[in-house]
Structures are given as structure tokens and as C-alpha cells.
Amino acid sequence: MNRSPLTQRPAWKALAMHYQEVKNLHLRELFAQDPQRSARLTCEGAGLYLDYSKNRITDQTLHLLLNLANEADLEQHIRAMFRGDKINLTEDRAVLHTALRAPRDRSIEVDGHDVVPDIHAVLDRLSVFSDQVRNGAWKGFTGKSIRTVVNIGIGGSDLGPVMAYEALKAYATRELVFRFVSNVDGTDFAEATRDLNPEETLFIVSSKTFTTQETMTNAGTARAWCLEALKEPAAIARHFVAVSTNAAKVAEFGIDTDNRFGFWDWVGGRYSMDSAIGLATMIAIGPANFRRLLAGLYAMDEHFREAPLNQNLPVLMGLIGLWYTGFFDAQTVAVLPYDQYLKRFPAYLQQLVMESNGKSTTLDGAQVNYQTSAIYFGEPGSNGQHSFYQLIHQGTKLIPCDFIAFGKSLNPLGHHHDLLMSNVFAQAEALAFGKTAAEVKAEGIADGLVPHRTFEGNRPSNVILAEQLTPESLGSLIALYEHLVFTQGAIWNIDSFDQWGVELGKVLAQRILPELESATEPELKHDASTNALIRKYRGWRQEQRF
Ligand code: F6P
């Protein structure tokens, strides 16, 4: 694979020169000069329609970006991932979340072992268990059926399940209540359980490693909460199940190993929402709908694998994103789903994108001399319009936007959906084309106000549409971003599948904890600021008397 430094490759240099030529081109001109632009710069795949015409690109930009992908051997990288090569170099692991949605008749080998039958065996067990909880056959210790499912997990073991649960609520049983506890702040557990009956509550302890401090602390608190009410240790087997790769730690915690649903080290935490980590999702929407979700993910996998790069949604979006970060120095991407059910989608993407590509060391151990991951943020529309859109329209920063919307509402109420959709289209139009000073003046606006009321425009966006929010279209959307991240990581030549950046803080917290809790005054050897903060907290802690 091509390992010459990215910025010294011909396509990068050509893009740098091209940027100087096109940086001042306005989307107004690009559209005016080319009536076919909108028809040409759209693409469809796996049930999604992408309009990328409102980006600051020309045909030459696209040509050069595709050259960049070719010079990085993107297609070879894609094949290596799907084949199960150990492309997560720093952890010496395969990256095979795509195998999680492969049909039963596929064969994918890791170290000479076909993993597809293992995946389907777990899916089958999950389906049986989910049905039992859904139909009331799974009884709590005192013989009552389960009414509330509480998922305890953090990061990928929380954000995926909670995002998918919220996104697919329209498909979920309303007979069961779902809660998600992630934060080590006791408030999260306390609020999630304050109105629950332990006899009717099922905890899913979701943790790939089963060692994560937050999750193990919350799981321990949940066990104590359950035992306080139900008294007998035997109750744990009826009220706790685990999702983990670590069978030994699950047993050590006291969860019956028959109640463990496994997955594998080649599934990264932030890529695990469709593994057994999706148990809460499956209980909510049922096994059949969960398989529809898998089908959507698989459809986008196939599109990513098969479609030519210039008609490949994740590749196009990845390259265009890289164009803004690499050459326009854009720092962020706003993800703006115009669907209330996708309210947790931006939070989910934050981990997916930033934990994957927030890296500054190349696979060869060198420091990068170019920007990597953009900061992702967002809110559902139209709420965001009344919050931070002001800055996107008239601020000093270039913020590429991804608008996501659906043609058919799951809750058609009056003309709400027409209003919603008119807002998506209007926002993308306003950002791209703005409003000139002449147009403002022509409206009779006082001279002094004209600069304030002018919209520069030329602010880029993608519009992603699907017919309706379904398990399939959600799956396609998730895989779209997974593969966008992959495309960018492959070109930036970074390991998108490790997360060493989360380690240092964890280690330091372990050192600080006994210093906070020690009965005698500890000898503090941190920097002066940290020492002072610890002393300040110890003072309050003594007053509170734990
Ligand atoms: O934040 C680091 C991280 O390892 C994430 O990558 C992961 O999703 C999360 O912690 C939770 O890990 P686990 O599932 O092992 O509890």
C-alpha cells in the first residue's frame, strides 16, 4: 500500500494548487454556469439519496480527490477490511464489524476460522431471549414478567443502543420501558431507577471488556439495588444479563454465563451497535426488525464494496469532507437530522468519527502534517435553527453541514412534515446562495442595516434523503458514516480503530481516587493546580461525610 507522505503525493499537491484557483468561486456562479450541476452531483445507494451539489467543488476537484483516493490505494484498503486483514495495526486486530451483518451463507475467516456461523448463533440466541422478554415468558425472581430494561454501558456500549432505540421507537413495543445508564455520576443510576420495581427490572450489563470503571461501578450499584429488594443472590440470574467478549469477568461479577451474549475482539466498541451490544435495541424492536437493521447495514456495505468510487456515497462524502479539513481548514461538521427520532444520532457520530479519526500519528509512527478528523456536532432540525445556525449562516467559520431527512413521516400530523421539509431545503439553499447586499437593499432595508442583513452564502452542505426512517434506512445511514470514517482514515494513513487517547486520563483517575478517599492527608505529587483542586474537593468531601 502507498506509504509515501500524504502531502507529497501528486494528487495532494495538485489539490493544493487547485484550491488556490477555486477557493473564491461562489456556489452561485457554479450553479449559474452549469444547469446540469444538480442532476450530475447526486448519487444513490442502499436506499439513500445524496445531493452533494451544494459543495464547493468542481468536476476537477472531484477528479483530483478521486486521484487522491487511488494514490492511497483506497480500494485495496476496502478489500483488506472486508477480508479480515489485521488492519488495526496498533492492536494487531482485524476490523470486521461488516461481518456482523453478513448473511448466513457468507464465509469470512479470521485466523482461518469462519466467523459467520458464530455471529448467527449469537443472533439466534439473542432473538430467543428477546422474544422471551417481549412476550413476558422471561420471569423475574418473584415470578413477575419484565417491564423495564436498563442498559448499563458507556461509549459504544451505550451510544449505539440508545441512538438506535430512540431512532426506531416507532417500531418498538410500548409494553416495555427502556432506560440507559452510562455516567459514573450516581445521578444517572439514581434517576434511571427511582421509579422502578426491582421485581420487574432487567439489567443488561454491556461492556466489551467488562472492566470499564463506569460500567462496572453502575453494575455493582445495580446488583446492590436489586439484592436490597430481592434479598437472594439467586435473583441475579433472573435480573442480569451481560453482553461482553470477556466471559471470565462476567462470571466473576456473578452473572450466570448462560446469560452472557458474546462478541469478538475484531468488533470495535464504537462499531458494535449491531453486535450483541444491540440487545436492548433488539428487545425494543423485536428480532425481525433487528434483522431489517442488519439488512440496511449490509446493503451499504455492499454499496461501499462494489460501487465505483465516483458513485460511492461514503467515498464521496469522505473525500469532500477531507477537502474541507485539508484545504479550507474547516474544523467542524454539523450533522443536522430533520427527524426528532434521530435526536441521539449526532452524539453517536461524535464517538464514531472522533474516537476513530482523532489521531495525529500515522500508521508508520510519524506526526501528521495535515488536519485529521473534523469535530462533529449537531442537533435535530428544526431545533438547531433557533440555536447555533446563526453562526453557520453569518459567523466567521466555514462549517460544512450534513442535512438528513425523510420523505414520509412516521407521525403524519397536519402539515407538520411539509413544514419540516421546507425548513431543510430552505436551510441548505440559504447557506449555499445567501442574500447579496443588492438584494437586501432592493427590499428597502436601511443602509446601516444592510451589512447585518446580508448573507454571504457559499456555505457548503450535503443533503441525505431516504424515503422513510425504517430499520433498513437507519442501518444504511450508520454504515454510510462508518465507511466515510474508513475512507478518511485510509487516506490520512492513521489507525481508525484504536483509541489510545482515552488511556492517560483513566490511569491518572485511578491514581487520584485513593487520594480523594484517604482518611489521612495524602502526600500529593501532582502539579500545583491538580494538588490544589484535590485539596479543595477533600474539604467539601469531609463536610459531606460519606
Ligand atoms: O472510551 C474508550 C472505550 O474503550 C470506547 O472505545 C468503548 O466504546 C468504551 O470505552 C466502552 O468500553 P467497554 O464496552 O469495554 O465497556
Side-chain angles (χ1 to χ4, degrees):
M1 299 210 181
N2 196 332
R3 288 271 184 266
S4 68
L6 178 61
T7 53
Q8 286 172 29
R9 294 184 195 157
W12 186 277
K13 289 184 178 170
L15 278 162
M17 281 169 58
H18 173 70
Y19 169 71
Q20 295 304 331
E21 289 158 17
V22 299
K23 66 181 180 189
N24 295 322
L25 274 181
H26 200 290
L27 283 165
R28 280 196 287 261
E29 297 164 54
L30 291 172
F31 271 83
Q33 287 160 8
D34 177 5
Q36 295 307 312
R37 180 179 176 89
S38 135
R40 222 177 44 254
L41 302 187
T42 56
C43 184
E44 284 188 65
L48 302 185
Y49 173 89
L50 168 68
D51 176 352
Y52 60 101
S53 62
K54 293 194 189 79
N55 280 293
R56 290 170 67 171
I57 54 172
T58 64
D59 289 347
Q60 177 65 0
T61 320
L62 274 177
H63 172 71
L64 294 175
L65 286 169
L66 290 163
N67 283 354
L68 189 73
N70 287 325
E71 284 180 8
D73 298 320
L74 178 61
E75 285 175 312
Q76 221 178 305
H77 281 277
I78 295 172
R79 281 196 293 278
M81 172 172 71
F82 278 94
R83 208 168 41 219
D85 288 9
K86 294 194 174 171
I87 60 167
N88 177 355
L89 293 185
T90 72
E91 296 180 329
D92 192 28
R93 285 177 183 166
V95 173
L96 267 180
H97 45 277
T98 51
L100 296 170
R101 47 263 193 166
R104 269 181 212 276
D105 58 3
R106 288 295 269 264
S107 164
I108 301 165
E109 292 195 354
V110 177
D111 295 328
H113 172 76
D114 184 1
V115 296
V116 177
D118 301 351
I119 291 164
H120 282 272
V122 173
L123 273 173
D124 292 342
R125 281 185 63 223
L126 289 167
S127 301
V128 170
F129 180 72
S130 298
D131 278 337
Q132 285 176 338
V133 176
R134 285 166 63 84
N135 65 27
W138 181 272
K139 301 289 184 207
F141 187 59
T142 59
K144 294 187 175 168
S145 296
I146 298 301
R147 292 175 60 90
T148 307
V149 175
V150 182
N151 185 77
I152 297 179
I154 197 163
S157 302
D158 167 70
L159 290 164
V162 71
M163 177 277 290
Y165 167 69
E166 291 293 345
L168 298 177
K169 217 178 216 172
Y171 301 84
T173 173
R174 306 291 173 142
E175 300 297 310
L176 293 165
V177 171
F178 290 82
R179 302 265 165 90
F180 296 83
V181 175
S182 55
N183 201 328
V184 76
D185 181 348
T187 297
D188 205 7
F189 182 86
E191 286 294 339
T193 53
R194 58 183 301 139
D195 57 346
L196 300 187
N197 177 357
E199 292 175 271
E200 299 172 335
T201 301
L202 175 75
F203 289 98
I204 304 174
V205 185
S206 294
S207 174
K208 179 176 172 183
T209 54
F210 230 70
T211 56
T212 304
Q213 184 197 52
E214 292 91 334
T215 301
M216 298 329 296
T217 305
N218 279 319
T221 302
R223 183 176 49 194
W225 179 85
C226 193
L227 286 177
E228 193 185 339
L230 303 176
K231 311 295 179 212
E232 296 293 326
I236 298 301
R238 305 306 305 168
H239 293 273
F240 280 76
V241 297
V243 178
S244 184
T245 57
N246 193 339
K249 285 278 175 200
V250 170
E252 201 180 294
F253 180 85
I255 294 179
D256 192 335
T257 40
D258 286 349
N259 294 348
R260 179 183 79 95
F261 300 95
F263 60 114
W264 305 272
D265 71 356
W266 37 262
V267 181
R270 53 193 174 273
Y271 296 88
S272 66
M273 57 78 62
D274 52 334
S275 71
I277 290 289
L279 177 57
T281 316
M282 191 193 273
I283 296 174
I285 64 175
N289 280 325
F290 195 82
R291 285 180 193 273
R292 292 174 60 193
L293 175 73
L294 296 178
L297 286 148
Y298 179 69
M300 184 54 78
D301 292 343
E302 288 296 277
H303 170 82
F304 183 52
R305 205 151 73 135
E306 303 293 342
L309 298 188
N310 65 352
Q311 291 161 43
N312 192 310
L313 271 74
V315 171
L316 288 168
M317 282 181 64
L319 290 174
I320 292 168
L322 196 143
W323 168 235
Y324 295 125
T325 28
F327 298 93
F328 287 78
D329 201 25
Q331 303 290 323
T332 59
V333 169
V335 185
L336 309 165
Y338 276 66
D339 192 302
Q340 189 60 20
Y341 285 126
L342 289 185
K343 65 182 181 190
R344 297 289 285 164
F345 195 64
Y348 169 76
L349 281 191
Q350 282 178 6
Q351 186 198 12
L352 179 67
V353 177
M354 296 198 272
E355 202 173 67
S356 296
N357 281 345
K359 313 282 164 69
S360 52
T361 305
T362 68
L363 284 168
D364 315 293
Q367 192 71 13
V368 298
N369 61 349
Y370 41 86
Q371 289 289 319
T372 60
S373 180
I375 298 161
Y376 272 60
F377 74 102
E379 277 291 321
S382 58
N383 294 3
Q385 291 175 205
H386 300 270
S387 163
F388 53 83
Y389 278 34
Q390 164 65 40
L391 185 150
I392 304 181
H393 282 285
Q394 286 190 317
T396 53
K397 295 174 175 55
L398 182 78
I399 303 188
C401 297
D402 287 352
F403 291 99
I404 301 168
F406 300 92
K408 296 178 183 168
S409 172
L410 288 162
N411 294 291
L413 275 182
H415 76 146
H416 281 253
H417 199 62
D418 294 337
L419 289 171
L420 182 73
M421 296 303 285
S422 67
N423 275 285
V424 193
F425 301 145
Q427 289 299 326
E429 184 180 14
L431 286 170
F433 303 107
K435 193 171 183 184
T436 62
E439 285 167 337
V440 177
K441 268 190 199 154
E443 286 174 358
I445 301 296
D447 281 357
L449 279 180
V450 169
H452 300 279
R453 307 274 306 254
T454 299
F455 290 75
E456 177 192 28
N458 218 12
R459 296 174 187 231
S461 66
N462 291 308
V463 179
I464 303 160
L465 300 178
E467 186 177 342
Q468 191 161 47
L469 177 54
T470 60
E472 289 90 346
S473 59
L474 180 70
S476 295
L477 201 55
I478 293 166
L480 168 68
Y481 280 95
E482 286 179 349
H483 299 322
L484 175 162
V485 166
F486 180 88
T487 297
Q488 296 188 335
I491 295 173
W492 286 325
N493 191 27
I494 54 180
D495 191 329
S496 302
F497 302 100
D498 61 15
Q499 55 284 318
W500 300 108
V502 302
E503 293 301 323
L504 178 60
K506 284 191 204 171
V507 171
L508 294 183
Q510 269 166 16
R511 199 170 115 198
I512 291 173
L513 181 63
E515 295 170 346
L516 301 183
E517 294 184 330
S518 118
T520 56
E521 201 56 35
E523 189 192 346
L524 299 177
K525 292 185 177 158
H526 305 273
D527 59 280
S529 160
T530 308
N531 288 345
L533 291 167
I534 291 171
R535 288 198 192 98
K536 182 96 183 144
Y537 174 73
R538 281 182 59 87
W540 278 322
R541 189 176 185 277
Q542 270 160 20
E543 283 167 25
Q544 189 164 7
R545 298 201 192 293
F546 286 84

